Amino acid sequence: MVTNRTSWLAAALLFSWVTAPGATGNQVTVVQGSTAEIRVEGITGDFQSPLGGRGLQPMGIGSGLIIGRAFEATSGQTIPGALVTLGLPGVAPLRVLADAEGRFAFRTLPVGRYSLTASKPGFVEGAYGRRRPAGPTQAIDLTEGQRALDANVPLWRYSALAGTVVDEQGEPVVGATVQALLRTTVAGMPKLTSAALDQTDDRGMYRIGMLVPGDYVVVLPVGRPGMQTFTFSPPGGGYAVAQIATFTAAVAGGGIAEGPDGVPVPITNTETLMSPAGLAPDGTPLTYATVFYPTSVGPARAASVRLGSGEERTGLDFERRPVPSATVSGLVSGPDGPAPNQTVTLVPAGSDDLVSPVGNYTTRTGADGRYAFSHVAPGGYTLRVVQTPGAAMGVRDQTVTGGGGVMMVRTVLTGRGAAAPPLPDEPTLWAEVPVNVAGVIEVPVALRAGARITGQVAFTGAAERPASDQLPSIRVTLDPADGRTQAMQLNLRGRIETTGQFRTMSVPPGNYFVRVEGAPQGWHFRGATLGGRNVTDEPLTIEGEDIGGVTLSFTDQQTQITGSVTSDNDQEDTSALVVAFPTDRAGWINYGSRPRRVQSTRVSGNGSFTLSGLPPGDYLVAAVRDEIAGDWQRTEFLESIATSATRVRLAEGDKQTHSLRVVR
């Protein structure tokens, strides 16, 4: 993939932040989206750089032995020189290189539960017990003197997509961005998420490599999306940073950027005033529309390309044809009048299938609150504006100019294990305006205040109730039912005060679940209720008014399902995946990004499994072959195994044991 200005700047911003004095934590994960945002979660211990950390003990001395082989999963060929990493919680990992026959060994190991991974350039990271790329892993449980002699680790070769982009004259298009979207499942529904991108060379050719085997859609988007993923995983655990960035055109005729010392300065961008595709004979400016391979204008009819391990698909060619462009402009106003320096986004109709934005147009309002999009491809869009209070978690919006565009960066800090920062008193302002874009149109935008959820906490059980100063450390969030946060522009957190009262940030209308993480020691989150209705496992519809009277209940009881899995010949099956899902089919979709009633776990090396923390209710539990369970959350897959699954009714605190046979 081409290393462009956007990825370099995003990486620089990330590196400068995570290495800043006083930063704490030990795991950094950067994800994708439409505007830049950094989230810091789970701050534990000291963090000095993405490649190191404190608080890790050296590996002890014991009598255990792990011997294995790194091999290519589809062919079985050995992989010499693979870097093999042995991990134990709280302990500095051990690393060795596999020999010429792919073999490796770790000796004098203490008792413990180990993770085992392997990596090599050109391969997707492998792990012990993994049956498919990026699938679940198995731990290796070593007892005193145990010898694990078959700890083999499969790896899959990266795949690639390639093709050419030409214009209507058949001439190569140089510097065009082509993006690969991976088919995945979000909240039970099939979605597309950004995987990687490349830019065409002087021959109009592109090649998108380092793709995990799977199903892809290829798209030629408008503009330069510049969305990148950077991942650092220093040892120690408990820390996360997410940054989302996009490179976009500046405001036509001017805008606002952040200058030295945070002083706003005007910006101009002559590139936005030029037609990217020339002029029609009548003088109408031309532009290009987003195209999903081979010729679809939206993702619904895009062709799917399946890539196996090491497979390269070529001939995925595009012909880019100009279309008459449109111009959209208007005034964004809030309760206090014109709203300057606000991000305005045009989202194409039919984007519900997309997790990562594709074909969005993004701009910024000027000092007078006006925005303008020039050279927009005609069609249906939704115009969106979200204004989050700057006091929320120290949110800091920054606009970085250069290279004919603007990178918009939003920084948000949160902490796990530490008290959540106070919420701002100002509401989140939002607007969504459907618009049919054609010609030159004026679309005024009036921002409205979002609604909050408020309530109190309740603890039921014999365990000691947590001290009041511990309550602000419990994390409360709102989880959109469709599993997306509308491109991460929303601040969805809440805060519990020492009084036991809580409230959330105000959010636009929609269906949300109330989620709670980080319960005090000895306690488990039972659920959120409103008037006796469960709003943790059933979505709560938020409209224009605040919602009060929600109770966050905690209990010292937790459910657990344990058991064993056997194959058709009554032998222990160590390769299966155990899944649990509600008997009510309405719970199979739109359950948010962090479902409680839809869980899975990999069977351990002795054929046993454990599912913990399922809320009380009726479930179907089934063991399936892991290699075919990549999209097990999809409703079609659940339907296919429902009749063979075991029915389980869980009451609060239930501990049940079940024997399962693998569903074929």
mmCIF file of all heavy atoms in Angstrom, residues 179-197:
data_model
loop_
_atom_site.group_PDB
_atom_site.id
_atom_site.type_symbol
_atom_site.label_atom_id
_atom_site.label_comp_id
_atom_site.label_asym_id
_atom_site.label_seq_id
_atom_site.Cartn_x
_atom_site.Cartn_y
_atom_site.Cartn_z
ATOM 1 N N GLN A 179 -9.818 1.491 -2.902
ATOM 2 C CA GLN A 179 -9.973 1.012 -1.537
ATOM 3 C C GLN A 179 -10.571 -0.391 -1.536
ATOM 4 O O GLN A 179 -11.463 -0.703 -2.338
ATOM 5 C CB GLN A 179 -10.890 1.969 -0.774
ATOM 6 C CG GLN A 179 -10.806 1.884 0.727
ATOM 7 C CD GLN A 179 -11.507 3.063 1.387
ATOM 8 O OE1 GLN A 179 -12.010 3.959 0.707
ATOM 9 N NE2 GLN A 179 -11.549 3.069 2.696
ATOM 10 N N ALA A 180 -10.072 -1.252 -0.649
ATOM 11 C CA ALA A 180 -10.619 -2.591 -0.453
ATOM 12 C C ALA A 180 -11.446 -2.590 0.819
ATOM 13 O O ALA A 180 -10.986 -2.154 1.875
ATOM 14 C CB ALA A 180 -9.499 -3.624 -0.354
ATOM 15 N N LEU A 181 -12.687 -3.102 0.717
ATOM 16 C CA LEU A 181 -13.600 -3.187 1.853
ATOM 17 C C LEU A 181 -13.850 -4.652 2.169
ATOM 18 O O LEU A 181 -14.220 -5.430 1.293
ATOM 19 C CB LEU A 181 -14.928 -2.499 1.535
ATOM 20 C CG LEU A 181 -14.863 -1.054 1.036
ATOM 21 C CD1 LEU A 181 -16.256 -0.549 0.698
ATOM 22 C CD2 LEU A 181 -14.209 -0.151 2.075
ATOM 23 N N LEU A 182 -13.661 -5.021 3.427
ATOM 24 C CA LEU A 182 -13.843 -6.404 3.861
ATOM 25 C C LEU A 182 -15.290 -6.622 4.283
ATOM 26 O O LEU A 182 -15.866 -5.840 5.035
ATOM 27 C CB LEU A 182 -12.914 -6.711 5.034
ATOM 28 C CG LEU A 182 -13.042 -8.100 5.678
ATOM 29 C CD1 LEU A 182 -12.636 -9.186 4.696
ATOM 30 C CD2 LEU A 182 -12.205 -8.175 6.941
ATOM 31 N N ARG A 183 -15.885 -7.717 3.786
ATOM 32 C CA ARG A 183 -17.229 -8.082 4.224
ATOM 33 C C ARG A 183 -17.140 -8.668 5.629
ATOM 34 O O ARG A 183 -16.366 -9.589 5.888
ATOM 35 C CB ARG A 183 -17.852 -9.096 3.265
ATOM 36 C CG ARG A 183 -18.229 -8.511 1.912
ATOM 37 C CD ARG A 183 -19.190 -9.411 1.160
ATOM 38 N NE ARG A 183 -19.545 -8.875 -0.137
ATOM 39 C CZ ARG A 183 -20.514 -7.980 -0.341
ATOM 40 N NH1 ARG A 183 -21.211 -7.535 0.693
ATOM 41 N NH2 ARG A 183 -20.779 -7.541 -1.551
ATOM 42 N N THR A 184 -17.949 -8.135 6.520
ATOM 43 C CA THR A 184 -17.933 -8.573 7.904
ATOM 44 C C THR A 184 -19.356 -8.537 8.443
ATOM 45 O O THR A 184 -20.306 -8.294 7.708
ATOM 46 C CB THR A 184 -16.992 -7.672 8.747
ATOM 47 O OG1 THR A 184 -16.892 -8.185 10.063
ATOM 48 C CG2 THR A 184 -17.496 -6.251 8.797
ATOM 49 N N THR A 185 -19.508 -8.792 9.725
ATOM 50 C CA THR A 185 -20.819 -8.778 10.366
ATOM 51 C C THR A 185 -20.776 -7.833 11.553
ATOM 52 O O THR A 185 -19.888 -7.932 12.398
ATOM 53 C CB THR A 185 -21.231 -10.187 10.835
ATOM 54 O OG1 THR A 185 -21.248 -11.069 9.709
ATOM 55 C CG2 THR A 185 -22.612 -10.163 11.458
ATOM 56 N N VAL A 186 -21.723 -6.915 11.597
ATOM 57 C CA VAL A 186 -21.837 -5.960 12.698
ATOM 58 C C VAL A 186 -23.269 -6.009 13.208
ATOM 59 O O VAL A 186 -24.212 -5.833 12.442
ATOM 60 C CB VAL A 186 -21.476 -4.528 12.249
ATOM 61 C CG1 VAL A 186 -21.699 -3.536 13.385
ATOM 62 C CG2 VAL A 186 -20.034 -4.466 11.763
ATOM 63 N N ALA A 187 -23.413 -6.264 14.503
ATOM 64 C CA ALA A 187 -24.736 -6.353 15.129
ATOM 65 C C ALA A 187 -25.648 -7.311 14.372
ATOM 66 O O ALA A 187 -26.838 -7.068 14.232
ATOM 67 C CB ALA A 187 -25.377 -4.970 15.236
ATOM 68 N N GLY A 188 -25.063 -8.416 13.885
ATOM 69 C CA GLY A 188 -25.833 -9.449 13.218
ATOM 70 C C GLY A 188 -26.130 -9.187 11.760
ATOM 71 O O GLY A 188 -26.736 -10.032 11.090
ATOM 72 N N MET A 189 -25.708 -8.044 11.230
ATOM 73 C CA MET A 189 -26.019 -7.668 9.859
ATOM 74 C C MET A 189 -24.738 -7.605 9.028
ATOM 75 O O MET A 189 -23.687 -7.200 9.524
ATOM 76 C CB MET A 189 -26.716 -6.312 9.826
ATOM 77 C CG MET A 189 -28.007 -6.264 10.632
ATOM 78 S SD MET A 189 -29.290 -7.331 9.949
ATOM 79 C CE MET A 189 -29.668 -6.421 8.445
ATOM 80 N N PRO A 190 -24.813 -8.005 7.746
ATOM 81 C CA PRO A 190 -23.621 -7.913 6.890
ATOM 82 C C PRO A 190 -23.253 -6.463 6.620
ATOM 83 O O PRO A 190 -24.110 -5.643 6.289
ATOM 84 C CB PRO A 190 -24.060 -8.628 5.601
ATOM 85 C CG PRO A 190 -25.550 -8.560 5.604
ATOM 86 C CD PRO A 190 -25.973 -8.580 7.032
ATOM 87 N N LYS A 191 -21.979 -6.164 6.789
ATOM 88 C CA LYS A 191 -21.478 -4.807 6.588
ATOM 89 C C LYS A 191 -20.149 -4.857 5.842
ATOM 90 O O LYS A 191 -19.534 -5.914 5.685
ATOM 91 C CB LYS A 191 -21.282 -4.095 7.930
ATOM 92 C CG LYS A 191 -22.524 -3.980 8.798
ATOM 93 C CD LYS A 191 -23.560 -3.042 8.218
ATOM 94 C CE LYS A 191 -24.756 -2.909 9.142
ATOM 95 N NZ LYS A 191 -25.818 -2.039 8.581
ATOM 96 N N LEU A 192 -19.703 -3.692 5.399
ATOM 97 C CA LEU A 192 -18.396 -3.539 4.758
ATOM 98 C C LEU A 192 -17.560 -2.585 5.595
ATOM 99 O O LEU A 192 -18.030 -1.515 5.981
ATOM 100 C CB LEU A 192 -18.550 -2.978 3.338
ATOM 101 C CG LEU A 192 -19.281 -3.859 2.326
ATOM 102 C CD1 LEU A 192 -19.554 -3.075 1.048
ATOM 103 C CD2 LEU A 192 -18.448 -5.094 2.004
ATOM 104 N N THR A 193 -16.317 -2.987 5.857
ATOM 105 C CA THR A 193 -15.418 -2.136 6.633
ATOM 106 C C THR A 193 -14.106 -1.967 5.881
ATOM 107 O O THR A 193 -13.656 -2.875 5.176
ATOM 108 C CB THR A 193 -15.158 -2.731 8.027
ATOM 109 O OG1 THR A 193 -14.377 -1.806 8.793
ATOM 110 C CG2 THR A 193 -14.409 -4.042 7.946
ATOM 111 N N SER A 194 -13.495 -0.809 6.013
ATOM 112 C CA SER A 194 -12.278 -0.501 5.273
ATOM 113 C C SER A 194 -11.145 -1.428 5.688
ATOM 114 O O SER A 194 -10.898 -1.638 6.879
ATOM 115 C CB SER A 194 -11.881 0.957 5.509
ATOM 116 O OG SER A 194 -10.708 1.272 4.784
ATOM 117 N N ALA A 195 -10.445 -1.997 4.689
ATOM 118 C CA ALA A 195 -9.332 -2.902 4.960
ATOM 119 C C ALA A 195 -7.989 -2.268 4.599
ATOM 120 O O ALA A 195 -7.055 -2.282 5.390
ATOM 121 C CB ALA A 195 -9.521 -4.209 4.193
ATOM 122 N N ALA A 196 -7.870 -1.729 3.400
ATOM 123 C CA ALA A 196 -6.607 -1.144 2.946
ATOM 124 C C ALA A 196 -6.883 -0.351 1.680
ATOM 125 O O ALA A 196 -7.962 -0.448 1.080
ATOM 126 C CB ALA A 196 -5.553 -2.231 2.688
ATOM 127 N N LEU A 197 -5.898 0.431 1.248
ATOM 128 C CA LEU A 197 -6.053 1.212 0.028
ATOM 129 C C LEU A 197 -4.710 1.370 -0.658
ATOM 130 O O LEU A 197 -3.651 1.095 -0.088
ATOM 131 C CB LEU A 197 -6.680 2.576 0.333
ATOM 132 C CG LEU A 197 -6.006 3.487 1.371
ATOM 133 C CD1 LEU A 197 -4.881 4.310 0.759
ATOM 134 C CD2 LEU A 197 -7.028 4.406 2.004
#
